[in-house]
């Protein structure tokens, strides 16, 4: 397997930006083999994220992609959703049809474990762009199998950028901070695309138009997902500019040279009145802790968006 070929399990909560990440990965079959997609409750409830993942595989022309449902609630506490941003359908702006492929019988964690069991050491990369509940449950229930994972690529967390759910916390980590802590402690290489970097990847109306005109029916139908989410604080980024979060993880697999990273110790706050769900990065090494994550600090935002458009236009 070449160094830049990846076999991935994509764990997600589609979700508007998840949908773009799924399409981008499906369109990159020369570099990325999707062993399967696993779904988790997050932006919208599990039954909706799961329906959406299955719908997107069919829309993109890959109905045979295994899609396995995972956790409907966090490791601790009650589910948190972002329906106000993603709409009741989870894919606000896209006409969603009911998928026809049969629902897989095995759950997400069982699928992850079976895939890791059958694969070689370092064969599988887990890309997680929703709350980390499924990955945490895998680590808790199958620690020996997690040891075989090549890399965990996460969209989640925030440090310099501040939070998007509270001043301290980003949604995916806020929705299940205990899971994020378990994953941070799992011992595998973790690359974290937090808001610090996704806020550098800002789509504009010109990007929406380019994607709509770039390819066929799929690009045209998914282009509205590049528009600002309803209720988003667009004024922070400039008029009509929208941060594109989850696709950064796929762009990292395809063209890591578009990003800069720093090895740092990262911890997740699970208490705190004001800091619940915060990812606490020790930039100055004051804790004496060893780095446990590769934190993505910079991106060539325009190049990431060009790559997204070029790939989805292939579908
Ligand atoms: O904070 C952004 C993240 O939360 C993205 O993954 C988005 O899909 C939501 O899950
Ligand atoms: Ca997501």
């Amino acid at each position: 397997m070449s160094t830049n070929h990846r076999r991935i399990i994509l764990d997600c909560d589609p979700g508007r930006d998840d949908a773009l990440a799924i399409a981008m990965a499906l369109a990159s079959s020369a570099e990325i083999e999707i062993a399967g997609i696993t779904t988790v409750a997050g932006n919208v409830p599990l039954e909706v994220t799961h329906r959406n993942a299955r719908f997107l595989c069919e829309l993109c022309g890959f109905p045979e992609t295994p899609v396995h449902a995972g956790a409907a609630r966090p490791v601790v506490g009650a589910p948190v959703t972002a329906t106000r941003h993603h709409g009741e359908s989870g894919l606000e702006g896209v006409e969603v049809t009911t998928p026809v492929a049969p629902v897989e019988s095995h759950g997400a964690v069982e699928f992850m474990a079976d895939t890791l069991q059958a694969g070689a050491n370092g064969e599988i990369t887990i890309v997680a762009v929703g709350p980390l509940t499924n990955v945490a449950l895998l680590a808790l229930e199958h620690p020996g199998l997690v040891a075989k994972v090549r890399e965990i690529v996460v969209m989640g967390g925030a440090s310099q950028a501040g939070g998007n759910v509270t001043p301290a916390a980003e949604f995916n980590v806020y929705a299940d901070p205990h899971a994020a802590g378990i994953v941070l402690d799992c011992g595998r290489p973790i690359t974290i695309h937090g808001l610090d970097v996704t806020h550098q990847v800002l789509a504009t109306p010109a990007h929406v138009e380019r994607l709509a005109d770039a390819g066929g029916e799929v690009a045209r139908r998914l282009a509205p997902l590049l528009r600002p989410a309803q209720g988003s604080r667009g004024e922070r980024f400039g008029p009509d500019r929208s941060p594109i979060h989850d696709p950064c993880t796929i762009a990292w697999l395809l063209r890591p040279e578009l990003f800069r990273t720093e090895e740092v110790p990262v911890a997740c706050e699970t208490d705190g009145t004001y800091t619940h769900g915060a990812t606490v990065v020790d930039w100055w090494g004051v804790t004496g802790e060893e780095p446990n994550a590769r934190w993505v600090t910079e991106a060539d935002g325009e190049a990431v968006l060009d790559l997204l458009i070029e790939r989805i236009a292939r579908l």
Side-chain angles (χ1 to χ4, degrees):
M1 185 179 298
S2 73
T3 50
N4 75 339
H5 179 276
R6 296 282 188 144
R7 186 163 187 251
I8 73 168
I9 294 172
L10 178 54
D11 191 70
C12 56
D13 63 330
R16 300 174 79 245
D17 55 326
D18 304 70
L20 294 168
I22 291 168
M24 204 171 162
L26 288 169
S28 303
S29 52
E31 301 99 325
I32 295 174
E33 175 193 349
I34 300 180
I37 291 175
T38 52
T39 54
V40 66
N43 288 315
V44 287
L46 177 67
E47 59 272 15
V48 184
T49 63
H50 194 62
R51 185 276 314 266
N52 289 344
R54 295 171 58 230
F55 156 71
L56 288 159
C57 288
E58 293 182 13
L59 173 71
C60 295
F62 295 87
E64 74 287 354
T65 306
V67 181
H68 294 262
R73 57 184 313 107
V75 169
V76 174
V80 175
T81 65
T83 307
R84 70 193 179 286
H85 295 316
H86 295 266
E88 291 297 328
S89 73
L91 296 176
E92 184 74 24
V94 174
E95 182 193 346
V96 180
T97 52
T98 303
V100 296
V103 177
E104 297 281 354
S105 57
H106 298 329
V109 176
E110 186 179 357
F111 169 75
M112 288 174 167
D114 291 347
T115 305
L116 287 163
Q117 180 68 50
N121 276 344
E123 179 179 323
I124 295 291
T125 295
I126 293 178
V127 179
V129 295
L132 289 163
T133 316
N134 292 336
V135 185
L137 291 172
L138 174 71
L140 291 173
E141 297 169 16
H142 304 279
L145 292 176
V146 162
K148 297 177 72 174
V149 172
R150 172 176 174 176
E151 180 184 15
I152 303 173
V153 185
V154 169
M155 190 280 135
S159 178
Q160 320 280 354
N164 59 3
V165 177
T166 73
E170 174 280 327
F171 176 81
N172 286 336
V173 176
Y174 182 81
D176 196 343
H178 294 85
I182 291 164
V183 173
L184 283 167
D185 290 342
C186 79
R188 298 314 300 146
I190 301 177
T191 302
I192 300 178
H193 292 256
L195 299 182
D196 295 13
V197 68
T198 66
H199 284 179
Q200 299 174 38
V201 184
L202 296 173
T204 66
H207 293 108
V208 177
E209 197 174 326
R210 274 178 57 198
L211 180 55
D213 297 342
E217 178 70 1
V218 175
R220 187 187 63 75
R221 287 182 63 177
L222 297 185
L225 298 175
L226 283 176
R227 292 195 187 109
Q230 59 189 6
S232 60
R233 295 169 183 78
E235 64 283 357
R236 171 170 179 177
F237 306 105
D240 295 328
R241 295 167 74 85
S242 172
I244 302 301
H245 307 290
D246 295 343
C248 287
T249 60
I250 306 303
W252 164 257
L253 298 182
L254 295 171
R255 293 193 59 197
E257 71 276 10
L258 297 182
F259 300 90
R260 295 179 64 131
T261 65
E262 196 164 331
E263 305 287 335
V264 286
V266 184
C268 185
E269 178 60 70
T270 55
D271 299 313
T273 303
Y274 302 105
T275 55
H276 176 84
T279 42
V280 183
V281 180
D282 180 8
W283 294 107
W284 297 101
V286 296
T287 64
E289 294 292 331
E290 284 301 309
N292 61 338
R294 176 161 48 186
W295 190 269
V296 186
T297 55
E298 290 181 50
D300 178 340
E302 270 312 306
V304 170
L305 288 163
D306 288 347
L307 183 61
L308 180 154
I309 291 167
E310 183 269 323
R311 291 302 164 107
I312 296 178
R314 295 181 181 184
L315 295 171

Coordinates of all heavy atoms in Angstrom, one line a residue, residues 13 18 43 129-130 246, ligand 2:
D13 N -21.6 12.4 11.6 CA -23.0 12.8 12.0 C -23.6 13.7 11.0 O -24.0 14.8 11.3 CB -22.9 13.5 13.4 CG -22.2 14.8 13.4 OD1 -21.2 15.0 12.6 OD2 -22.5 15.7 14.2
D18 N -20.4 17.3 7.0 CA -20.1 15.8 6.9 C -20.4 15.3 5.5 O -19.6 14.5 4.9 CB -21.0 15.0 7.9 CG -20.9 15.4 9.3 OD1 -21.4 16.5 9.7 OD2 -20.3 14.7 10.1
N43 N -25.1 16.2 15.0 CA -25.8 17.4 14.5 C -27.3 17.2 14.6 O -28.1 18.1 14.9 CB -25.5 17.6 13.0 CG -24.1 18.1 12.9 OD1 -23.6 19.0 13.6 ND2 -23.3 17.5 12.0
V129 N -15.6 12.7 12.4 CA -16.0 14.1 12.1 C -17.3 14.5 12.9 O -18.0 15.4 12.5 CB -16.1 14.5 10.6 CG1 -14.7 14.4 10.0 CG2 -17.1 13.6 9.9
G130 N -17.6 13.7 13.8 CA -18.8 13.9 14.7 C -18.3 13.7 16.1 O -17.1 13.6 16.4
D246 N -15.6 19.6 8.3 CA -15.3 18.2 8.2 C -14.4 17.9 7.0 O -13.5 17.0 7.1 CB -16.6 17.4 8.2 CG -17.3 17.5 9.5 OD1 -16.7 17.9 10.5 OD2 -18.5 17.1 9.5
Ligands
LIG2 CA1 -19.8 16.6 11.7

